[in-house]
Every structure is written in C-alpha cells, then in structure tokens.
Amino acid sequence: MTGATLLLRQIHPAFIKLGRVTSQAFRPTPKDENRLSVYNGDLIQPQAAWEHYHARNLESVGVLAVTVAECAQEDLPARPSPEIFPEHAEIDFTGCSANQCEKKSKKLRVVAETRGWLYQAD
Amino acid sequence: LRGNKDFGKAPVVMSLEDRVMNHVPPLDPLDFASQIDDLRVLQDGWYDGRGKAPSAMGLDWLLAAFVENYPDDLPQPYVYPVAEGDVRLEWDLGSHSLSLEIDPIRRIGLWHDLDLNRDHDESQTLAMDHADGWSWVANRIQELSGGPA
C-alpha cells in the first residue's frame, strides 16, 4: 500500500440518513479492538469489494473511501491485514482516547464524503 | 399544515408535539419522532450480527425529553443508532461537526464539537434527564446556527 491507496469502507444502511453518513462509519466500535476494517483498494475495486462484503451476508449501501495518506495525516496507521482475507486492511485507532476517536472519525468522514461514493448499491 | 377544508383561513402550522400527539405524518424529513421510529425497528444484532437494539423505554424517554426541551425552530439533528444501544444526534453547522451521543438508559449525553476550520474540538458530558442539559445543547446550537432561541 502507498499513501495514495484507497481504503474502501462499507457503509451500513443504519449509518446513512437522507444521504448523510454518520461519522460513526469511520470509527471502530469497542468490539473492533480499535481497528477499523476496510478493503485494500490496491487489490480490489469498490464494486467488487461491495459484492464480496454482501456475499458474506453483511449489509452495505455502498462504498466510501479515505486514503492511507489521509489516515496518516490524522496519525492513524493503516496496514494490510490479509490474515482476515487477502484484500482486508485496517485503520488502527489504538491509543486514541474517545475524544480523539470522535475528532479523527469526523475528519475522515468529511474527506470521504468530499471524495464521494465510489460505489452505491441499487 | 392542516385546515384545508377551511378555505380562506390561514393554515395552521403544527408543532412537533402536536404532530406526535395526532400521529400526523412529518413535514420535515428530519422530523425527530419519525427518526426515533426508525430506531424502534432495530433488533439485537442489527449491526452485522452485533449491535444492541435501543431500549423501547429509552426511546420513549428520549422522544419526550427532546420534544419538551429542544426548540423546534432550531436546526434538527440527524439521528443514528449506536452499536452499543445508544442514540447519536449529529448536526453540521457551518464548519462545525457536532454530535450528541445519548445513553437513553443512564440519560447521559456526550457532546462533541469539532470546528473543522480551526481543527479544534471541545467535549462535554451532560445530564440529559435535566432541562439544564438540553438547554445547554440548545444554546450551543443557537450560537452556532445564529438561529432563534
């Protein structure tokens, strides 16, 4: 992965309201052990990532993305994690306080929404 | 609006409270009661097998508290579920990304205000079972929106 690598994030249908995505979509839940799951955009295209996700019986209305560099700007390391599946990657929030998670996830949401949907399900 | 039968009379604008009481469909796509209703259908496991459904009693309390304490002429929030069973309210006001994450059982709110222009954030824990907590939120929203009290 390089700084330009797109990290593809699936958006749960409950996390979109009137077209607006909550910043929660860009922060891990407590059960995620501080790691936000994404797809490595160097290895899979947005539509294929959505299809892969959907085939795992997981819900997504579409795909937004941030880059590795945009994460680094927020001091969030991003790395491949192919032990989950080959195209899996993660954004690491380890060491962030709750407030820091809020701030960083809000900033990631803004850059992702500015980039726009890379794929939307019908 | 209602009163279509009474031609010549000015239409009556219903308050949020009236609409809730009379089960009138919302005019505002961000109608709070309607957004809370969206959360009522969630079941445990709603978030890809995880995700705790918000408590029905907690949602009843939140709706009543919001209607009673949040002025309906202020910008209405977007409402989302939280995986741990909380409810999250979000507003975008100018450069401010605002959120209030409410635990509807403990009735505690976590306020977070990020000013994207200044890259500065502030947070506050609020007791939402007191009018003071809601008025604090309403005052901040009013200040940031420049809207009426």
Side-chain angles (χ1 to χ4, degrees):
Chain A
M1 297 197 316
T2 68
T5 298
L6 288 167
L7 303 170
L8 310 175
R9 178 66 180 161
Q10 304 291 337
I11 305 300
H12 191 276
F15 284 171
I16 183 167
K17 176 74 70 172
L18 298 170
R20 183 190 181 281
V21 173
T22 168
S23 57
Q24 286 181 93
F26 292 93
R27 76 174 191 201
T29 70
K31 290 183 178 175
D32 293 324
E33 298 178 337
N34 297 312
R35 295 183 179 96
L36 187 72
S37 286
V38 290
Y39 283 79
N40 180 345
D42 286 348
L43 300 180
I44 192 168
Q45 293 297 305
Q47 181 172 348
W50 182 87
E51 288 167 354
H52 181 270
Y53 195 76
H54 188 65
R56 295 163 59 208
N57 289 322
L58 301 173
E59 289 188 274
S60 168
V61 295
V63 177
L64 291 172
V66 294
T67 65
V68 171
E70 288 160 350
C71 292
Q73 199 160 356
E74 301 306 322
D75 295 322
L76 295 170
R79 64 179 75 89
S81 45
E83 62 276 13
I84 311 291
F85 54 82
E87 301 87 357
H88 192 268
E90 60 192 24
I91 302 170
D92 193 349
F93 282 71
T94 300
C96 296
S97 67
N99 266 357
Q100 288 171 326
C101 284
E102 278 285 355
K103 182 177 181 180
K104 293 170 192 290
S105 62
K106 284 179 176 179
K107 293 174 79 173
L108 292 183
R109 170 191 166 265
V110 169
V111 295
E113 282 215 324
T114 301
R115 176 169 287 109
W117 291 96
L118 301 190
Y119 177 74
Q120 281 186 283
D122 293 332
Chain B
L1 302 179
R2 67 180 178 188
N4 290 345
K5 289 194 318 185
D6 300 322
F7 298 108
K9 289 186 179 178
V12 176
V13 177
M14 298 177 74
S15 70
L16 175 60
E17 196 167 5
D18 287 340
R19 293 203 303 273
V20 171
M21 296 298 291
N22 293 293
H23 304 286
V24 175
L27 298 171
D28 180 354
L30 289 178
D31 176 81
F32 193 79
S34 173
Q35 294 195 79
I36 290 294
D37 281 346
D38 289 343
L39 305 187
R40 295 186 192 279
V41 302
L42 295 175
Q43 299 181 338
D44 284 342
W46 63 267
Y47 188 24
D48 294 336
R50 302 172 294 164
K52 183 178 172 189
S55 138
M57 282 179 58
L59 292 177
D60 289 343
W61 164 78
L62 177 56
L63 175 57
F66 185 90
V67 168
E68 183 173 345
N69 294 296
Y70 187 84
D72 58 9
D73 53 1
L74 288 181
Q76 298 296 299
Y78 293 83
V79 181
Y80 304 95
V82 176
E84 295 78 46
D86 295 348
V87 178
R88 187 173 168 95
L89 282 51
E90 295 185 5
W91 298 256
D92 295 317
L93 296 177
S95 63
H96 290 260
S97 177
L98 309 167
S99 55
L100 178 65
E101 198 158 304
I102 299 174
D103 177 340
I105 303 299
R106 295 165 62 219
R107 302 182 178 179
I108 290 173
L110 297 176
W111 169 265
H112 184 261
D113 171 1
L114 171 61
D115 183 343
L116 292 156
N117 282 351
R118 292 193 302 140
D119 195 24
H120 175 74
D121 66 321
E122 296 176 358
S123 59
Q124 181 84 20
T125 301
L126 300 164
M128 304 311 294
D129 54 351
H130 292 98
D132 287 353
W134 289 101
S135 66
W136 190 94
V137 171
N139 287 338
R140 288 297 292 142
I141 297 292
Q142 184 193 349
E143 287 168 13
L144 294 169
S145 67

